[in-house]
Each structure stands twice: as structure tokens, then as C-alpha cells.
Amino acid sequence: MNTLIPDSLGQLLELLAENIPGTELLAGGTDFNVQCRKGVLNPNRVLCIGHLDELKGIRLDGEHLRLGALTTFAEVVANELLQGHVPDFCRALAHFASPPVRNLATLGGNIANASPTADSVPPLLVRLASLELRSVRGVRQLPLNEFFTGYKRTAMAQDELITAVLLPVNAEDGLHSYWRKVGTRRALTIAKLSLAGMGRIENGQLSECRLAAGALNEYPRRLTAVEQHALTTPLAAITRESLNEALRRDITPIDDLRSDADYRFETCLNLLQTCLRDWSDHA
Amino acid sequence: MPELHRVDARDKLLGRTRYIDDVNPPGVLHAAFVVSPAHRGRIRRVVLPPGFDQAAFTIVGSGDIPGVNLVPEPVSDEPFLAVDEALWRGQPILAVAHPDRDTARAFARAVQVVVDEEEAVTDPAIALDDESRVFGRELLIDHGTHEPPEERWLHLSRTYTTPHQEQAYLEPQGMLAEWDVDARHMRVTGSMQCPFFVKEAVEVILGDEVAEVSVCQAEGVGGAFGGKEDFPNVMAGTVALLAWRSGQPVKLVLERDDDLLITPKRHPSRITIESWTDRTSGRLRRLDIDYRLDAGACQTLSPVVLARGVLHVAGGYSCPAVRVRGRLFHSDTPPNGAFRGFGAPQGLFALEAHIDDIAAELSLDPATFRQRNVMHAADSFPTTQPVAEDNLADCLNELLSQCSYDSLRADIDTWNMAHRHKLGIGLSLGFHGGGYTGGGETRLASRVCITLHPDGAAEVLAANVEMGQGASTTLAVCAAQGLGLPLSRVRTAVPDTARVPNSGPTVASRTIYIVGNMLRRLGANIREELGDIDEWCEKAGDELPRTFEATYQPDPAATFDEDTYRGAAYRHYSWAACAAMVQVDADTSEVRIEKMWSVVDAGALVHPGIAMGQVYGGMTQACGWSLGEWWHKPGHGRLGSLTDYALPTAVDAPPFDVRFLHTDSDISKGLGELPMDYPAPAVRNAVLHATGIAIDDLPLLPERLAARLRKDNTSVC
Ligand SMILES: Cc1cc2nc3c(=O)[nH]c(=O)nc-3n(C[C@H](O)[C@H](O)[C@H](O)COP(=O)(O)OP(=O)(O)OC[C@H]3O[C@@H](n4cnc5c(N)ncnc54)[C@H](O)[C@@H]3O)c2cc1C
């Protein structure tokens, strides 16, 4: 295994542009090391990025909060700028893993790893986050919604990396939010399922509604059928049955060692109901 | 008593303590197991992988064993290394050693083992339901059951099950063997609970090839919980075989996933309780209990677990007629072994759940029902052994006032009417017989020594290891109390069979109860003999160092008949009562333990801080066992790593409110296992109170609860 420590982002991009198969980036290493040890990942070239200042920092950039790809979960939770603009987002990430892992794990790594259970993704999806992807060919912005293309597959090209996560600065303004992760215990756990939501209620009806679930599809995804149903139906007319029917079109939960399909489906339905009820109670 | 420091704390906090993984003598080879990939079947071929310099490896299999290929256990039916048959997935077949650890592991992983797979039973539920799988001796306790139960009594019959539990010690299994070919001396150092068991294992596997075996506990042993009672025998036998074969030091440290795959766990159980209760008096009249354990592929020490199980499963209740039938069932899984509680937690889960089920049938408050039936001094155990004290009833009464039971339960009922998420409170009682069962301690005939050194220090010599539980401190405290010396003058030797007498294994809640009490008495005898120890030492001159020895004195009045299971199964019992408050989430059916109270009688406390630590730790382990820990999921197989094994974290552990009773007693009783024994049913009973749903199978997974809520069509909303 060949391990390289590029001096700069520019040099990193050059190295990536060589398009050598089996190249992996190493950020916080909290997925990378586990996967290498288990033999799931057998990279032949490792590019360390954890030291690159160009990928660090949280700042306001016009209409966006710009979170460098190396932003750790601990930084998100403690950052005053984020706490000021997107406090519920900070709260959602506060229960990620455990303190030592939060100090290492990065947002970029969590997203790029493209696990169905990546905990930062549902809260980012409902806040309409986008990614800044960079290569020697240039920089582009991609809505997070379009980033995942299948189980552990992404729209990132082999020579690209995530350089930043962009959050609309007003992502939470005037909106209700929801986040719930269900795991096997209260901390340091992989989600059996999770649900994130942002919504606005006007005259007894949702005028904005974004919902996203983790661990219920091959990648974390917006619940578009449920959103559509919720946006077109007065809250009072949304029933458990109608949610149930829409949810069936959105998620494909499975039986595995961690949990059961029935439990996942029904719990997601329960959480949806609670989410909508909480919002309408506080409307 | 002032709060005392632990003598091992500083070095451990500073990272100075050396665990076996830190010990690398020059020329050490690193070992790895080649294990069976199949649950069961004939081993056809073992193909060594190409691409390695095979001359650089030492490789041993069952054919290389000069002694006997059976691990010494109460029933020695497990081979160190598989012969022709693979008995479980993960069974060691070969052991390999190489100077580079990663190369050894990669090589072992690459060895191809071809097995003619046969049908295997790996699901405890299937194994425990199939009476053709019974093996080993069946145990029967039968007391007062000649009269048939009366028609008018409430008759209830239910079956309860519990899963595997992984000890999950912080430090995986590890062992080092060093061979002195000239002296034919095998020196073994490692992570273990029972140095003298390990010594025997090495003697057995090497037979006449070895003239002397000495075994020493590694300076640090990072937790054990029973998991380092039996398997270190296999570890030590294997590294000793490799060291003998290669002539070099050999060390084997298991990777976590291998440790999970290969080593023994807590026995899954299936326990059916039939009870008869007088509806008018609310008194238990009769219990018929079918107690089953899944032993795995070999019996090893399971018969002893079964013995403790049948002796605890009737619980701390007065019942005139009790019949307990105990049996081991075979499955194609690793032999299950020792784990804190040793058969008692399974039995007490079933019994204490059943107590709540009876109370519910009688519409009696579970506390009232317990108070009516709890053991008192005039009662006897199902073995006919008289109960010596009212201490369990004392624990129960103290507990009820400690948690303000009546008002708390009423408040919860009111709260639940107005809230979606439901609260509940549940109770349980427990007890644990100290030391080996029956005549075990008499047969062990433990010996301890105290040596007075010229520098005025006293040294405790005993075979009981410090594995994190605090024994190096508490044994010194016991000796110091007897000698009348300050703790700073007393130290505990690191157990080394070459230096210390055989005070028996570090198991069965016996370290303080047996060995500690012996040291206290020996210390007092020394003081009586010598008078003022300081003065004597000053005059003694050449007489120092001087060693004093004591041997365990059995109580001639306390006998136990191992054929009929009558008599004094244990000389002393520790007692406890527990309450758990839970919240059941309306959306997710997750159970959160909000608080746990416990009142414990373990007699005089040698070290209050360490005693409290034992209770917190044991209760936390019981919380994990009750809520989330399991190893096998029907249709999906086993967990291959701790990633999804829901060991409780610090935030999963509830606040504990623990009190000790009868600490002015003149004896210190067993405490190590007790706090694991009884909390799980309190959690189950609290869930019953919260939701009206009685879950009879551990763990109380939200999936199980949600399915029952669906089926019963009651909603917690
Ligand atoms: C004990 C433990 C607990 C955990 N708990 C959770 C949890 O609760 N929730 C959860 O979601 N995850 C959890 N994880 C998984 C992991 O911590 C997260 O996914 C983490 O965010 C990964 O970030 P990292 O910086 O460590 O990534 P790394 O391990 O360094 O990299 C992961 C992958 O992402 C790629 N990558 C990294 N950065 C970039 C980039 N900027 N651009 C493109 N590709 C990149 C790497 O090539 C690699 O393939 C846990 C892991 C551990 C070990």
C-alpha cells in the first residue's frame, strides 16, 4: 500500500487526475481503517487529506454556509456560526457515534462513504445541502439529492473529491424541524432507521415539507411520495393509512442482523406521524 | 472506614501496566488459529496456502500433541485442536506461528479447510426444543411434591428464554509460552482467571515431554467476567505446544472478531415454570421447573453451570413443594462456558418474570406478592437446607422504601394516563451462593500464605488474579485487617504457580468469601502468635522472611449430597432486591432504563468503593443482557463483530441507587456475580407494568415489543 501526503489541494488533484484504480482518500479514517482491517477495502494507493487547510473551516459564503469537507462532527456541534443559523442541524449531529469518533469523523467522509446509514445525510438532504466537488478539470456544485446513485455508489468521478458541503444559510428559518435516529442502543450505534424533516405549516396545510430517511433504502433518500402527499393534503386529512400508502412507495426496508423490515417500516410510519403531529401542535 | 485507593489504579491510569500484548521476549513467534469454517462435519483436507515461505512457520495440529488432546474441565470432552470432526464453526484445527504477527494471521486466514458439511443446529431455540439433544447428567431436585396440587390453586405454566451473552472483556484472550529445553520447563504467562487450571492444561497437552510447568498471570488482565476461566486452557495448551515444537517463545493474542467467534459465551436457556398458588392466601404452593441450557458442542464445565442453575432457579421464595429438572442440550456451537452468574441469571430471569405473571393473574401488586412469599429464617431451600436469616426480606423491605415504591407506582399510573410514552416500574429478588457448589470447596482445599519480609512488609500469596475487579487491593485489605497493619504495609503478589499456593480459581464469587476470609483469619492468627508484629519483626532478624500458611477449613455440619441434591449447597448466601424504572417509547418501542435501585447484602464490605463498583458493573451488564445483547438471530446467523452487539455504553447505563445491608456482619460474602443475577427480570417486569405486555424472551428488543404491540392490537399511543 502506497501512502502519499500531498502538500496542497492542487497536488492532491494532480494525483487524483492520474486515475489510478484502487486510490482511496484518507480523512478522519474512521470508516477507512475499519474497512481496511475487515478486508472490505484493499486500496493500493492512499492519499492523506486530513492536513489540507483548503478543506477545513466553516464560514459564511454569500447565501451559503460553507463547511469544508474536513469539518468534523465535533466542530459542527460546537460551531457558533452554525449554532446561530442552523441550531437544529447541530443538535441532530450531536448524537453521532461517541466523543472520540466525533473528534475524528468528517462530514466529507461520512457523505463520500455513501453508507445507507450515514447519519449526516438525512438532515443535510432536508436542508437542501449541496456539495462542492473539485478535480483538475474544475469545480462543480451538485445537490446532495443527486449525489448518490446506488448502494455505496455516487456521482463523484474518479478524479474528484468533495471539497465542501454547502448549506443554505436560511435552511432552518421559519421552519419546523425533526430528527430521530433509532439504533441498537443510545450512543455509538449504527442506525436501524432514521428520519429527518423540515416543514412549514400555513393555514392547516404544509406549504413546505421535506423528509428524508436513513437505512431504509440503498442510500439515504428523500421521501418524495410522502412529501407530495403531505403537501397536497390538509393536515387534518392526513391519516395513518394515507401515510402508510405513500411511505410504501418511498422505502424498501430489509430484514437483516440489525433489525426487521416490519419494524423498520412501522417505526418509520410512527415517526412520520409524530413529526407531523409535533409540527401541527406547534404551528 | 476511609475510602481506600486501589493499589493497581495508578499504573493502569498511567498506562504502565503491561498486558500480555505488551510483552515480547526476544525471538517471540506470533501465533494464530486456523479454525473450522463449517458448523459441523468431517474434515477432509487442510490445504496450506501458496505464496508463503512455509519453512518460516511452525504449524501444529492434533497429531502433534505428545500428551492428551482433551482440555481438562469438569467433563474433559473438548479437544484442544480438532481431530477428524469439526464440531463448531470457529473450532481451532491448527495453530501456526511466525515471527511476524500479521503474516501469521494472514497465513492462518488463507489456509483452506475443506469440510464435508453435515446438517448443524446453531439456533438455541431449536436445540433447546429437541429432547433428543440432551447430553450429560440430568439433575433433579425433588422436595415435598408427593401430594398432587389442589384443584383450587391458581395453575400457571410459562416458558422463558434467554440468549447467548458475550463476556466482552476489554482485553481479548492472550497467552505467552516460553520453553526452556534444558530444564524441560514450560513457562506460561497470560490473561487468565485460574493459573492452576492453566498449569494442568499445559501438563495434559505436553504429557511426558515437560518436566515442569509454571504459570503466571500477566501483570495486567483486562477483564474476564468468567470468559477467562475455561478458554485460557485452550490458549495455553496451544501456545505451549507451539513453543515446545519451535523451541522459541510463542504468543497468541486473539483479534476481537476471532475472540467473538471462537470463545465460550453465556449459555442460552429455555426454562418452563409451572406454578400453583393459593388464591386466598396468595402463597406459592408448588413449583415444577424444567431448566434447560444450550451447552454447545461439548460439555466442558456446563454440568457445573447446570448445578448452580438448578440450585438458584426456585428463587428466594418459600415454597413447600419444588421439583426442578435440569438438563444440558447439545448444539453445534462453541462450548458455552463461564460468565458472571453461572446459570443463576437465566434461572432468576425466568422465576422473577413468573412471579410477576402470577401476581398479575391474582391481581396482586408484585411487591405485595413478593412480601408474602419471600424466604424467612424458618424456611428451607428446595434442597432442604434451612434458610439461616431474614436478610432477603430485609433487602426487599428496604428497597421498597428506598424507591418509595407505592407512591412511585401510583404516580407512574397517573402519568401514563396522560402520556404516549409509558413509564413502568418492576421488581426482582436475587441471591447467590458463595464459592463452589456442594463439596467443591472441600475438594479444592485452598491454601493461602502471608510472608513477613525484613522490610516490615507483609505479602499475600494466593492464586487469585487481579482482573480489574480489585482483588489485589481487597485481598491485601483482608490480610491487613487480620494482621492489624495499615494497607500500605501489605501487598499482594502477582499469582505465579511457582511462588503462590493454590488458593483455587478466581471464580464463583469466592475470592473474598473464601480466600479473603481465610487471609483475615490467618492474619489474626499470626498476630496472636507473634504479638505486636512490628516488635516481633525487629527482633526476628534472620528469621525473616517468614511465611505462614493456612488451609481451608470446611464446616463439618454443612454437607451436600450430590446424588440426591439435598443438603447445604452453599455455606453462605448473598441477597439482593432490585427495582427498575423504564420508559417505553411509543414510536419506536425502545426501552430506556431510567433508574435502577438495589439493596444488597454481601455481609461486611472489604472495600466499599470496590464493592459499589462490582454492583454498578454487574447491573450494567444485566441491563445489556436484558435490552440488547444477543449473538444468534434465526435466519441471519451470528454477529461477526461487536459493531452490532449492543453492549451498553455509559449513556445506556441508568443512574444506580445502591445500598448495602448488614455490613456489620463478621463475614464477607460473595459479591462478584450477584449483581448480574437479578436486574434483568426487574426490567422485564417494568416493561410489563408500562405496556401490559409480558415479554418472556430476552432481550427485550424493540422489534419483539413492537410485534407484540401489533399482535395484541394495544397501542402505547
Ligand atoms: C466507532 C464508530 C462509530 C461510528 N458511528 C457512526 C454514526 O453514529 N453515524 C454514522 O453515520 N457513521 C458512524 N461511523 C462511521 C464514520 O465515523 C463516518 O462515516 C465518518 O463520517 C467518516 O469520516 P472520516 O473522515 O473518518 O472518513 P474516512 O474513513 O477517512 O473515509 C471514508 C471514505 O470516504 C472517502 N472520503 C473521505 N473524505 C473524502 C472527500 N473529502 N472527498 C471524497 N471522498 C472522501 C474515503 O476515500 C473513504 O472511502 C462510525 C465509525 C466508528 C469507527
Side-chain angles (χ1 to χ4, degrees):
Chain A
M1 188 157 72
N2 188 9
T3 305
L4 301 172
I5 306 177
D7 292 332
S8 63
L9 180 59
Q11 195 189 0
L12 172 71
L13 295 178
E14 296 292 337
L15 290 167
L16 277 172
E18 291 169 10
N19 272 329
I20 296 180
T23 297
E24 280 293 331
L25 301 182
L26 176 58
T30 60
D31 277 320
F32 176 92
N33 285 308
V34 175
Q35 290 166 7
C36 287
R37 203 176 163 84
K38 297 225 168 205
V40 182
L41 207 60
N42 291 296
N44 45 43
R45 197 170 74 147
V46 180
L47 308 179
C48 300
I49 63 171
H51 59 291
L52 294 175
D53 287 336
E54 295 100 316
L55 303 178
K56 293 182 185 169
I58 300 170
R59 61 170 199 269
L60 195 58
D61 190 359
E63 295 299 289
H64 285 108
L65 294 158
R66 186 178 191 284
L67 291 71
L70 287 177
T71 302
T72 64
F73 284 78
E75 284 165 350
V76 170
V77 174
N79 185 271
E80 285 183 9
L81 187 66
L82 295 180
Q83 281 172 354
H85 290 285
V86 284
D88 291 347
F89 178 66
C90 300
R91 261 194 291 279
L93 269 45
H95 298 287
F96 176 93
S98 63
V101 177
R102 285 201 289 276
N103 288 335
L104 285 171
T106 67
L107 270 187
N110 194 236
I111 297 165
N113 187 52
S115 160
T117 62
D119 281 332
S120 73
V121 175
L124 284 170
L125 282 171
V126 297
R127 286 167 178 80
L128 299 175
S130 51
L131 302 179
E132 183 186 276
L133 301 173
R134 207 177 277 265
S135 70
V136 283
R137 295 173 286 122
V139 59
R140 62 171 173 143
Q141 268 187 31
L142 187 69
L144 181 57
N145 212 5
E146 295 167 25
F147 181 70
F148 303 106
T149 56
Y151 176 73
K152 290 233 150 206
R153 292 220 324 269
T154 73
M156 190 163 53
Q158 200 173 352
D159 64 349
E160 280 183 314
L161 85 155
I162 303 171
T163 43
V165 178
L166 306 172
L167 262 181
V169 69
N170 59 358
E172 294 183 1
D173 292 357
L175 294 172
H176 296 292
S177 78
Y178 185 82
W179 169 243
R180 182 78 192 259
K181 168 184 171 181
V182 183
T184 53
R185 59 185 167 201
R186 289 168 72 189
L188 207 58
T189 180
I190 301 177
K192 293 173 177 174
L193 73 148
S194 66
L195 180 70
M198 299 296 303
R200 188 195 309 277
I201 295 175
E202 284 172 278
N203 307 321
Q205 185 159 347
L206 282 157
S207 59
E208 262 185 76
C209 178
R210 290 185 295 278
L211 298 159
L216 295 174
N217 289 306
E218 59 276 32
Y219 52 89
R221 228 165 47 191
R222 291 270 294 273
L223 304 178
T224 47
V226 176
E227 288 176 359
Q228 202 50 41
H229 171 60
L231 283 167
T232 53
T233 317
L235 273 169
I238 298 177
T239 62
R240 187 171 174 85
E241 289 72 54
S242 68
L243 278 178
N244 183 331
E245 200 213 318
L247 187 61
R248 259 178 219 293
R249 285 181 270 143
D250 278 330
I251 63 172
T252 49
I254 56 164
D255 278 329
D256 61 10
L257 270 168
R258 200 168 290 147
S259 189
D260 302 335
D262 286 350
Y263 174 79
R264 287 179 156 125
F265 186 89
E266 190 146 315
T267 304
C268 185
L269 187 60
N270 294 344
L271 295 179
L272 272 175
Q273 246 186 314
T274 295
C275 165
L276 296 184
R277 191 176 45 232
D278 283 358
W279 289 352
S280 75
D281 285 351
H282 295 98
Chain B
M1 187 192 289
E3 195 64 10
L4 302 161
H5 291 299
R6 283 180 59 140
V7 298
D8 57 337
R10 174 175 290 268
D11 281 349
K12 284 181 176 163
L13 288 171
L14 294 174
R16 284 193 199 131
T17 307
R18 278 154 52 93
Y19 294 81
I20 198 65
D21 198 36
D22 305 319
V23 181
N24 289 302
V28 70
L29 303 180
H30 296 273
F33 282 127
V34 174
V35 302
S36 167
H39 292 298
R40 181 191 168 96
R42 211 168 171 72
I43 302 168
R44 268 278 151 249
R45 262 193 337 273
V46 175
V47 189
L48 301 182
F52 288 88
D53 172 14
Q54 290 189 1
F57 292 87
T58 304
I59 303 173
V60 293
S62 59
D64 301 301
I65 293 174
V68 177
N69 184 18
L70 287 172
V71 186
E73 289 292 349
V75 174
S76 301
D77 60 348
E78 175 190 4
F80 285 97
L81 296 169
V83 185
D84 300 320
E85 299 284 336
L87 302 177
W88 68 89
R89 188 160 86 80
Q91 182 185 15
I93 296 175
L94 303 178
V96 305
H98 186 275
D100 179 64
R101 190 181 70 177
D102 291 342
T103 307
R105 287 176 176 174
F107 181 79
R109 260 196 298 276
V111 172
Q112 195 197 348
V113 180
V114 184
V115 180
D116 288 343
E117 279 210 60
E118 289 160 33
E119 207 180 315
V121 171
T122 57
D123 181 347
I126 294 174
L128 288 167
D129 203 29
D130 177 357
E131 298 202 61
S132 73
R133 310 188 73 83
V134 171
F135 67 158
R137 182 183 158 201
E138 173 175 331
L139 298 181
L140 191 67
I141 300 177
D142 199 350
H143 176 50
T145 58
H146 37 275
E147 307 261 334
E150 292 183 22
E151 283 292 326
R152 61 195 172 89
W153 292 343
L154 168 70
H155 177 213
L156 201 61
S157 173
R158 281 173 92 127
T159 297
Y160 307 87
T161 70
T162 64
H164 284 106
Q165 188 181 20
E166 162 62 28
Q167 292 88 352
Y169 25 69
L170 211 49
E171 178 210 24
Q173 303 265 355
M175 203 69 70
L176 167 72
E178 295 165 282
W179 177 229
D180 178 342
V181 64
D182 298 326
R184 309 205 74 70
H185 173 205
M186 187 62 75
R187 174 77 174 158
V188 173
T189 315
S191 194
M192 65 183 77
Q193 292 175 239
C194 316
F196 281 90
F197 286 1
V198 169
K199 177 170 150 68
E200 188 188 347
V202 174
E203 287 163 355
V204 164
I205 196 171
L206 293 180
D208 295 339
E209 289 299 312
V210 67
E212 192 196 344
V213 176
S214 66
V215 176
C216 187
Q217 173 212 318
E219 191 190 350
V221 173
F225 308 115
K228 293 172 185 171
E229 171 171 351
D230 39 12
F231 199 74
N233 294 353
V234 180
M235 298 282 295
T238 310
V239 285
L241 183 65
L242 284 163
W244 166 76
R245 171 49 73 87
S246 66
Q248 278 169 275
V250 177
K251 187 170 83 168
L252 172 58
V253 175
L254 295 187
E255 287 193 88
R256 176 66 70 185
D257 291 357
D258 288 342
D259 196 310
L260 185 64
L261 173 73
I262 298 171
T263 69
K265 325 248 168 286
R266 186 186 302 289
H267 297 72
S269 75
R270 178 188 191 278
I271 300 171
T272 303
I273 303 184
E274 251 188 290
S275 66
W276 287 265
T277 311
D278 187 328
R279 293 174 194 271
T280 333
S281 64
R283 299 288 305 262
L284 275 172
R285 304 318 306 168
R286 175 169 171 150
L287 290 168
D288 276 13
I289 301 175
D290 179 25
Y291 179 101
R292 302 179 178 193
L293 294 180
D294 174 356
C298 303
Q299 288 188 50
T300 64
L301 54 63
S302 295
V304 191
V305 179
L306 186 71
R308 186 173 284 278
V310 299
L311 289 165
H312 286 75
V313 68
Y317 298 93
S318 154
C319 184
V322 179
R323 187 172 188 279
V324 182
R325 182 187 198 196
R327 288 174 296 170
L328 298 176
F329 285 66
H330 176 278
S331 71
D332 303 301
T333 60
N336 289 308
F339 194 155
R340 192 179 207 169
F342 213 71
Q346 292 95 322
L348 289 176
F349 172 72
L351 195 275
E352 288 293 326
H354 195 74
I355 290 291
D356 263 49
D357 295 340
I358 300 173
E361 290 288 330
L362 294 175
S363 302
L364 272 179
D365 186 282
T368 312
F369 186 66
R370 281 184 174 77
Q371 282 176 314
R372 282 195 198 166
N373 288 283
V374 66
M375 273 177 173
H376 285 279
D379 296 319
S380 63
F381 287 96
T383 55
T384 69
Q385 178 181 16
V387 177
E389 54 207 8
D390 286 336
N391 297 12
L392 183 56
D394 295 346
C395 289
L396 173 59
N397 293 332
E398 175 71 15
L399 175 89
L400 296 177
S401 70
Q402 178 194 13
C403 69
S404 312
Y405 178 79
D406 289 333
S407 61
L408 181 57
R409 194 168 168 112
D411 290 349
I412 287 175
D413 289 336
T414 312
W415 195 90
N416 281 349
M417 284 191 268
H419 293 84
R420 300 174 59 233
H421 305 305
K422 302 299 184 197
L423 297 174
I425 182 162
L427 300 175
S428 62
L429 301 181
F431 68 96
H432 202 92
Y436 264 31
T437 300
E441 291 296 341
T442 306
R443 282 192 295 275
L444 273 178
S446 295
R447 291 180 302 122
V448 294
C449 293
I450 295 176
T451 299
L452 297 180
H453 287 281
D455 63 356
E459 186 180 25
V460 169
L461 299 173
N464 303 89
V465 310
E466 169 64 76
M467 50 191 174
Q469 88 282 40
S472 57
T473 304
T474 49
L475 290 176
V477 172
C478 290
Q481 286 171 347
L483 291 163
L485 291 177
L487 181 61
S488 56
R489 293 265 300 277
V490 183
R491 62 173 187 262
T492 307
V494 172
D496 178 346
T497 61
R499 258 203 95 209
V500 302
N502 187 354
S503 60
T506 317
V507 305
S509 303
R510 63 185 296 284
T511 301
I512 292 307
Y513 168 58
I514 300 288
V515 182
N517 286 317
M518 283 173 71
L519 283 167
R520 205 185 271 142
R521 222 166 297 126
L522 174 61
N525 290 343
I526 294 172
R527 183 150 52 142
E528 200 167 306
E529 183 186 331
L530 306 182
D532 185 289
I533 290 182
D534 283 332
E535 267 175 38
W536 184 85
C537 283
E538 251 164 57
K539 281 183 280 174
D542 284 355
E543 278 189 65
L544 291 176
R546 180 169 160 195
T547 297
F548 301 81
E549 183 175 313
T551 303
Y552 177 75
Q553 295 304 319
D555 173 359
T559 59
F560 183 69
D561 184 330
E562 280 165 24
D563 294 323
T564 60
Y565 264 59
R566 284 181 187 244
Y570 305 93
R571 273 167 79 177
H572 293 94
Y573 293 85
S574 306
W575 311 98
C578 180
M581 185 165 114
V582 301
Q583 179 164 158
V584 182
D585 189 290
D587 292 328
T588 65
S589 300
E590 289 169 295
V591 176
R592 192 164 82 185
I593 304 172
E594 300 279 345
K595 175 136 193 188
M596 221 176 234
W597 298 260
S598 189
V599 178
V600 179
D601 163 30
L605 301 181
V606 171
H607 187 299
I610 288 177
M612 196 59 95
Q614 284 298 307
V615 179
Y616 287 175
M619 290 178 83
T620 304
Q621 241 161 357
C623 289
W625 191 54
S626 67
L627 290 190
E629 293 181 43
W630 52 268
W631 192 40
H632 177 274
K633 177 168 173 173
H636 295 271
R638 297 178 196 160
L639 292 179
S641 78
L642 289 186
T643 303
D644 285 307
Y645 188 84
L647 270 183
T649 67
V651 295
D652 294 286
F656 295 117
D657 182 348
V658 174
R659 293 183 195 171
F660 290 97
L661 282 192
H662 299 299
T663 53
D664 56 352
S665 158
D666 52 12
I667 183 149
S668 298
K669 300 191 287 189
L671 180 61
E673 294 167 276
L674 178 70
M676 170 67 220
D677 289 350
Y678 57 85
V683 178
R684 178 268 188 191
N685 293 337
V687 171
L688 171 61
H689 178 219
T691 61
I693 291 175
I695 301 281
D696 295 340
D697 306 292
L698 285 187
L700 302 161
L701 293 174
E703 285 80 0
R704 276 191 175 141
L705 203 48
R708 284 286 298 281
L709 287 164
R710 270 199 298 272
K711 209 161 68 195
D712 295 6
N713 206 26
T714 44
S715 169
V716 284
C717 298

